[in-house]
Amino acid sequence: MDAPLSPGLYIVATPIGNLGDITRRAVEVLRGVTAIACEDTRVTGKLLNHLGIKQRMIRYDDHAGDHARDGLLALAAEAPVALASDAGTPLISDPGYKLVRAARQRGIPVTSLPGASAAIVALTLSGLPSDRFLFAGFLPGKAKARSDVLRAMASVPATLIFYETAPRLQDALEAIADALPGREVAVARELTKTFEECRTSVPAELIAHYAAHPPKGEIVLVVAPRGEDTAEEADVDALLQAALAANKPSQAAAEVARVTGLDRKTLYARALELK
Ligand code: SAM
């Protein structure tokens, strides 16, 4: 029998696909708390069911009013309360920030149990520089706002990480090609699940690939930092050859210059060699 948990808020990371990624400590805490605050009681209920845990669940998101937050914190002041999201680490593009802030302001102990987060899994898989990165959550859905966000990040000297959904992937890749020309991008999909995939290339190749193979599932985009990211020669040749299949050398060079940010004249010379 585990020792009883002391009162406070326990932030519990849960798997992002593979249920084997739940930690032993997460199981102990989910079992030992008085209640679990969660985004969707059906989703968390399924996880608890899988773990053989019966627990009281309280629906919570950051749009919940002060009243709901006060109730949860009053409980956490007296007893252990867990916070879980549908998948991965709470607060990471998920609810919890306002709850944690309010708990700390009231002197309620907060502890965080580490576990899966799609951003980190994607970064480690991408083959892109991992020494410095900026996680920017979801890109806006509207074209102008998306482009503004990407342009504002053009000068950030770090690998960029965005969450995406399959239906918006192509628009996001087009926007990255326009706002951040020449960057390699990793599309990390269905992480930790059976059909996990991570494809790192220049946006034009990714756009062509996903036009032919419409993606399914959840996606993280990892964008190479400025400077260290120029498309490799082999990629450029592949792009030119793809463009040459349907275009004259001048048009092919212009198209590849647009998506890679490389010099059009140099690309034209190379297109003539390849033709
Ligand atoms: N809190 C979660 C975390 O720590 O990763 C993220 C929650 S956010 C609402 C959901 C987004 O995370 C998805 O749209 C996708 O971009 C990303 N994501 C979550 N699970 C994923 C997976 N298994 N593979 C790829 N991306 C995933």
Side-chain angles (χ1 to χ4, degrees):
M1 172 99 183
D2 301 320
L5 297 168
S6 46
L9 182 64
Y10 294 75
I11 303 164
V12 180
T14 57
I16 57 168
N18 187 326
L19 294 179
D21 292 335
I22 190 90
T23 67
R24 282 164 63 171
R25 192 146 80 104
V27 176
E28 277 166 26
V29 166
L30 291 174
R31 188 174 281 131
V33 289
T34 295
I36 302 171
C38 56
E39 282 183 274
D40 185 331
T41 53
R42 283 163 310 176
V43 176
T44 300
K46 271 191 198 159
L47 174 69
L48 295 180
N49 207 22
H50 167 80
L51 298 171
I53 295 174
K54 274 204 178 330
Q55 236 340 330
R56 175 181 170 203
M57 288 180 279
I58 303 172
R59 218 192 73 72
Y60 174 81
D61 66 39
D62 280 336
H63 304 299
D66 291 342
H67 184 65
R69 216 166 0 257
D70 285 349
L72 216 42
L73 292 176
L75 189 59
E78 303 292 332
V81 173
L83 171 69
S85 48
D86 286 355
T89 302
L91 282 85
I92 306 301
S93 288
D94 266 339
Y97 158 69
K98 287 186 182 170
L99 187 65
V100 170
R101 187 166 175 80
R104 296 183 66 83
Q105 281 164 349
R106 292 173 202 196
I108 295 169
V110 182
T111 189
S112 186
L113 280 67
S117 188
I120 298 299
V121 180
L123 177 67
T124 55
L125 268 182
S126 68
L128 297 175
S130 56
D131 53 335
R132 198 185 309 174
F133 61 89
L134 184 144
F135 170 68
F138 286 93
L139 281 169
K142 296 211 166 118
K144 165 85 170 65
R146 182 166 51 218
S147 164
D148 288 348
V149 166
L150 287 168
R151 281 178 206 288
M153 294 199 175
S155 58
V156 173
T159 294
L160 309 174
I161 305 175
F162 302 100
Y163 281 164
E164 249 324 330
T165 60
R168 299 190 339 177
L169 175 64
Q170 294 292 54
D171 286 347
L173 289 171
E174 296 270 5
I176 291 169
D178 274 349
L180 308 169
R183 307 275 185 112
E184 271 192 304
V185 178
V187 177
R189 218 170 53 77
E190 294 288 86
L191 296 168
T192 78
K193 303 184 194 176
T194 310
F195 297 107
E196 174 176 290
E197 170 191 61
C198 182
R199 207 178 169 86
T200 303
S201 186
V202 288
E205 195 274 325
L206 295 170
I207 290 165
H209 174 81
Y210 288 109
H213 307 92
K216 287 192 186 138
E218 301 187 281
I219 291 174
V220 183
L221 293 175
V222 186
V223 182
R226 126 192 103 106
E228 295 166 49
D229 42 6
T230 319
E232 307 255 334
E233 243 171 61
D235 296 329
V236 172
D237 280 359
L239 286 175
L240 277 172
Q241 260 153 347
L244 280 167
N247 297 291
K248 289 194 281 192
S250 59
Q251 289 163 330
E255 173 59 18
V256 176
R258 187 181 73 79
V259 296
T260 61
L262 297 174
D263 178 59
R264 191 166 56 81
K265 280 191 185 149
T266 313
L267 289 168
Y268 178 59
R270 182 71 186 140
L272 290 177
E273 281 169 18
L274 291 172
K275 183 90 182 151

